[in-house]
């Protein structure tokens, strides 16, 4: 046996998972082989827990490995054994071998699931070898149930397994596993026939095997992408076919999608990714309804839909394809006519081909090819050329028009010349904007004056009408330019709003469709704004940052980014923020970015609530079990106790056989004890009714003084304790159930009496009343033991041995009796509140707050 060695490691441990398609493929055997290999190399290896299920060959592999003793735990009358996590932590081996990662722990332990124990060991720096079957993965649980018809109660989150440093697939053909079962190497002989004809059918095993292979392949692909990012590899590695299809919302979309799907289907495991590039100034000729329909088609055939923002569409398409390690890009041929293509030059398809490099580009023809209208080119390069070409046209167009008009001087009069110059200025305004129109109007007026208005070849005007014509020419040109420029601005705003609405529509579709996980939202955010990296971080009170999730562009390592990249931060919550690394974002993008942050905040809240619910689930199950036990015990005790009390009473009143003083004394003690047990059973019954919610209050006008009178009569024999009231006659009636109010006061007084037993004669318990606005406070004041530090949180916990917790000490107030738990439950049922306060000089004061009666 290996001697324990001091093993302290500041870094987290490494997790290796042996994944199988079904029970019996050899996961545990393979894991134990690895344990023996490591032990032979001198590594300190211990068995945390291994389930052999009666398999002799597996049991043989345990020989020679130290095993940490298991922890025994009773549950529902049966004794179970569990891994002793604390013992493993105290032993501190280098490697712990822990079978069945998805196992649900017996209630009463620190964690509900074994994978949570494993995470604690990893955090302590202990490496872990473990096993899991594919049917226990959370994301595949429902799929496996549809295949096999067997629901799986024990699951493990996919993310837990994905975080493993190594995942080894333990594979076996279905026929081989069935032979292993026939030979008795998996189940006992009595179970083999049923297993072979049900869960272990060849079809089931084949489907489970395919699920396991595909899941591991996805994990391997994630590792490959991470490696490419860490090493700055931007080229395409054709490990499997990834086909990207570009969509514009045009009529050719469905044709392109189906063609791309056929290309992806030619290769096993091929992926289809549809991408729509929304320009920052909006997408010309895009149809949101058509895009929505095309997205639905993509998802119906198993593809994924993505939306990115980019001014240079060909470059955005190629960047996206390289980021996804795509091997092929499918584009539709241009819808522009031949004349339009000849005027505007190279199109998106040709530009994408030129930029594609090692990505294959498919140009797919369709019915709408060549039938579209001319589209004014946009994008950063187009706008740059337009800014330069506008002023040039403002000078060149009037000059060229002058050359033409001088040749036709005798066929065209001055009016026609003026109108032609005006038309030229309007054309320049449409093309180049306000500044170009101003330059063109000045140039046109000067040329018209010099060449066509007498005296010719002089900048003078003889006729006043000609002066007016020149002024009108300049004024009309400027007005038209202003209108055109304003229209262009409005069009740009409208296009921008359309692009934002489209992005938000895609985001909303993802959330409503269930794609609301934080990693998915970060990926969508990075794609939408074309960033290098998006990180969700949290900050504690000291300012220390913790990274919750990161999505990085393939080919960009965590410590690098493109030239000129900057960080953009947006708050998600008070302690969480999104950090975007990449291009500077304009102020106009803030609205969409804020919408993303709101969705991330909602996803973060859901994740935190889910984590809290998972942690609370074992406690809720324990409370349900305790409530059921309370109900059963209280119900089963009532009849026997009533019969025993009747029998004792009959013995004490029997006249034919008089009792001796000793017998009379013993029967009196028995009767008193039985009465206390009967009261305990009644209290348990009331407590179970409170927990199950079957107790329905009937509020009415109730006098607190009358309720106290009934209680004082019931508790007349309080020993040395004196019970008195103060101020109850002066408070108004309350809105409460009279029976429940009496039960509350009776339990509060009984608890006070219980803790004042042994007090000197004359010790008082005071029930005082006071009014505060439309509320009435009833205080039960005693001078027994005071609350200890930390007892206030446990004050209303019932003190029942099977209900949980250790038996309190006699001087403790928290959980000492059932009375406070019952009083709190009855008060809560009526809508009243019950709070504890310290009594001046020592003791406890219970404050019952009730609404005053508002009726007539």
């Amino acid at each position: 046996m290996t001697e324990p060695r001091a093993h302290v490691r500041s870094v987290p441990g490494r997790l290796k998972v042996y994944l199988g398609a079904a029970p019996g493929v050899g996961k545990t055997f393979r894991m134990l082989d690895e344990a023996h290999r490591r032990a032979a190399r001198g590594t300190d290896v211990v068995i945390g827990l291994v389930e052999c299920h009666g398999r002799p060959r597996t049991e043989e592999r345990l020989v020679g490995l130290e095993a940490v003793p298991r922890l025994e735990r009773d549950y529902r009358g049966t004794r179970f054994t569990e891994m002793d996590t604390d013992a493993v932590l105290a032993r501190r081996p280098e490697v712990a071998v822990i079978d069945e990662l998805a196992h649900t722990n017996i209630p009463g332990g620190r964690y509900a699931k074994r994978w949570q124990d494993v995470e604690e060991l990893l955090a302590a720096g202990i490496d872990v070898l473990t096993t899991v079957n594919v049917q226990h993965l959370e994301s595949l649980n429902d799929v496996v149930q549809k295949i096999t018809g067997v629901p799986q109660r024990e699951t493990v989150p996919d993310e837990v397994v994905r975080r493993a440093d190594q995942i080894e697939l333990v594979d076996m053909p279905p026929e081989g596993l069935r032979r292993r079962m026939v030979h008795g190497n998996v189940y006992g002989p009595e179970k083999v026939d049923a297993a072979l004809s049900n869960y272990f059918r060849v079809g089931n095993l084949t489907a489970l095997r395919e699920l396991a292979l595909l899941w591991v392949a996805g994990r391997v692909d994630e590792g490959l992408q991470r490696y490419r990012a860490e090493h700055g590899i931007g080229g395409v590695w054709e490990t499997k076919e990834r086909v990207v299809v570009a969509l514009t919302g045009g009529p050719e979309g469905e044709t392109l999608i189906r063609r791309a799907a056929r290309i992806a289907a030619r290769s096993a495991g091929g992926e289809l990714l549809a991408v729509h590039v929304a320009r920052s100034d909006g997408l010309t000729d895009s149809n949101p309804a058509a895009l929505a329909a095309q997205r639905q088609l993509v998802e119906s055939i198993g593809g994924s839909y993505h939306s990115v923002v980019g001014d240079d569409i060909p470059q955005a398409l190629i960047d996206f394809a390289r980021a996804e390690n795509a091997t092929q890009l499918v584009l539709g041929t241009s819808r522009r006519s031949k004349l339009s293509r000849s005027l505007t030059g190279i199109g998106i398809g040709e530009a994408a081909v030129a930029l594609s490099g090692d990505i294959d580009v498919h140009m797919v023809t369709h019915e709408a090819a060549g039938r579209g209208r001319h589209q004014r080119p946009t994008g950063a390069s187009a706008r740059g050329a337009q800014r330069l070409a506008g002023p040039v046209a403002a000078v060149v167009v009037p000059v060229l028009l002058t050359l033409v008009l001088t040749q036709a001087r005798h066929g065209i009069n001055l009016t026609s010349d003026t109108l032609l110059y005006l038309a030229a200025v309007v054309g320049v305004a449409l093309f180049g904007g306000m500044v170009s129109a101003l330059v063109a109007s000045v140039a046109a007026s000067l040329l018209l004056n010099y060449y066509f208005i007498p005296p010719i070849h002089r900048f003078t005007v003889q006729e006043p009408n000609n002066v007016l014509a020149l002024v009108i020419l300049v004024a009309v040109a400027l007005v038209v330019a202003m209108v055109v420029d304003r229209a262009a601005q409005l069009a740009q705003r409208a296009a921008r709003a359309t692009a934002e609405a489209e992005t938000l529509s895609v985001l909303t579709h993802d959330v409503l469709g269930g794609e609301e996980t934080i990693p998915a939202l970060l990926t969508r955010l990075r794609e939408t704004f074309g960033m290098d990296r998006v990180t969700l971080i949290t900050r504690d009170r000291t300012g220390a940052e913790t990274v919750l999730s990161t999505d990085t562009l393939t080919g960009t390592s965590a410590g690098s980014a493109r030239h000129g990249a900057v960080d953009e931060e947006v708050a998600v919550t008070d302690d969480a923020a999104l950090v975007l690394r990449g291009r500077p974002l304009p102020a106009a993008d803030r609205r969409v970015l804020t919408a993303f942050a709101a969705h991330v905040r909602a996803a973060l809240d859901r994740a935190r609530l889910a984590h809290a619910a998972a942690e609370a689930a074992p406690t809720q199950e324990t409370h349900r079990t305790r409530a059921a036990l309370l109900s059963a015990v209280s119900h089963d005790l009532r009849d026997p106790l009533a019969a025993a009390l009747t029998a004792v009473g009959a013995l004490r009143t029997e006249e034919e056989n008089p009792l001796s003083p000793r017998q009379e004394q013993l029967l009196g003690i028995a009767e008193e004890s039985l009465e206390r047990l009967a009261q305990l059973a009644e209290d348990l019954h009331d407590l179970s009714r409170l927990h199950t919610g079957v107790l329905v209050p009937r509020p009415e006008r109730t006098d607190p003084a009358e309720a106290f009178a009934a209680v004082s009569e019931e508790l007349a024999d309080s020993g040395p304790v004196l019970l008195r009231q103060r101020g109850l006659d002066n408070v108004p009636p309350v809105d409460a159930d009279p029976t429940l109010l009496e039960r509350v006061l009776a339990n509060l007084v009984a608890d006070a009496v219980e803790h004042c037993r042994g007090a000197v004669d004359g010790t008082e318990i005071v029930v005082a009343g006071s009014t505060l606005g439309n509320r009435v406070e009833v205080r039960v004041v005693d001078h027994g033991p005071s609350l200890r530090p930390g007892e206030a949180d446990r004050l209303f916990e019932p003190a029942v041995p099977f209900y949980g917790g250790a038996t309190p000490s006699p001087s403790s107030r928290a959980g000492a009796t059932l009375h406070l738990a019952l009083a709190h439950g009855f008060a809560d049922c009526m809508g009243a509140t019950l709070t504890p306060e310290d009594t001046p000089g020592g003791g406890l004061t219970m404050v019952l707050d009730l609404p005053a009666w508002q009726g007539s």
Side-chain angles (χ1 to χ4, degrees), residues 118-162:
V118 168
E119 289 196 328
E120 183 174 359
L121 296 179
L122 294 172
I126 300 173
D127 293 345
V128 175
L129 305 178
T130 189
T131 63
V132 70
N133 281 326
V134 70
Q135 70 263 27
H136 296 301
L137 295 174
E138 185 69 48
S139 65
L140 300 177
N141 183 260
D142 57 338
V143 179
V144 173
Q145 182 175 349
K146 291 178 181 178
I147 294 172
T148 64
V150 179
Q152 300 295 330
R153 305 300 181 190
E154 297 183 327
T155 60
V156 58
D158 289 45
E159 185 60 28
V160 174
V161 183
R162 288 184 183 275

Side-chain angles (χ1 to χ4, degrees), residues 140-412:
L140 300 177
N141 183 260
D142 57 338
V143 179
V144 173
Q145 182 175 349
K146 291 178 181 178
I147 294 172
T148 64
V150 179
Q152 300 295 330
R153 305 300 181 190
E154 297 183 327
T155 60
V156 58
D158 289 45
E159 185 60 28
V160 174
V161 183
R162 288 184 183 275
R163 287 200 302 264
D165 299 277
Q166 286 182 271
I167 298 178
E168 182 173 329
L169 178 65
V170 183
D171 187 34
M172 175 175 285
E175 295 79 5
L177 179 55
R178 286 169 61 86
R179 282 195 303 271
R180 179 177 285 184
M181 292 196 64
V182 171
H183 295 157
N185 294 329
V186 179
Y187 294 145
E190 71 281 359
K191 298 181 180 179
V192 171
D193 290 339
L196 290 175
S197 59
N198 291 284
Y199 192 89
F200 288 84
R201 295 195 300 267
V202 173
N204 288 357
L205 295 177
T206 302
L208 293 174
R209 187 187 187 198
E210 182 177 5
L211 285 176
L213 290 169
L214 290 175
W215 195 91
V216 173
R219 176 65 172 78
V220 171
D221 188 64
E222 290 174 4
L224 175 62
Q225 299 297 346
R226 186 165 54 249
Y227 175 85
R228 285 162 49 83
E230 291 172 352
H231 292 79
I233 300 172
V236 176
W237 285 9
E238 300 183 15
T239 52
K240 70 175 180 179
E241 293 291 347
R242 285 188 178 86
V243 182
V244 173
V245 55
L247 301 178
T248 65
E252 75 282 358
E254 292 189 6
T255 301
L256 300 182
I257 293 169
R258 292 191 170 91
R259 180 61 182 274
R262 290 195 296 271
I263 296 173
R266 293 172 187 168
S267 173
E271 293 183 12
L272 173 64
L273 300 92
V275 59
H276 167 60
V277 180
R279 293 179 174 129
S280 62
D281 58 350
L283 180 61
T284 305
D285 201 26
S286 64
N287 186 335
L291 280 172
Q294 290 166 14
R295 175 191 179 123
Q296 187 174 5
L297 175 60
V298 169
E299 294 176 345
S300 68
I301 59 180
S304 59
Y305 181 89
H306 306 264
S307 179
V308 300
V309 173
D311 290 328
D312 191 338
I313 294 180
Q315 188 64 56
L317 289 174
I318 297 301
D319 287 344
F320 175 82
R322 292 192 186 282
E324 299 296 334
N325 198 27
T327 56
Q328 304 189 57
L329 175 63
V330 177
L331 300 171
T333 54
S334 177
R335 282 180 277 145
R336 297 177 298 157
S337 64
K338 292 182 178 180
L339 176 61
S340 177
R341 289 198 298 271
S342 64
L343 292 175
T344 57
I346 187 171
I348 293 175
E350 293 86 347
V353 171
L355 297 169
S356 62
D358 49 4
I359 300 175
D360 297 337
V361 179
H362 299 262
M363 299 293 294
V364 179
T365 187
H366 49 88
E367 293 182 354
R371 299 183 181 180
R373 58 182 176 80
H374 168 70
Q375 295 179 2
R376 181 164 56 93
T378 59
S381 59
R383 286 197 299 270
Q386 184 174 329
R387 283 193 296 268
L388 179 63
V392 173
V395 175
V396 172
V397 169
V399 171
L400 292 177
L401 180 60
T402 301
L403 292 176
V404 172
L405 293 178
T406 54
Q407 299 299 319
R409 183 186 299 273
H410 302 291
I412 301 177

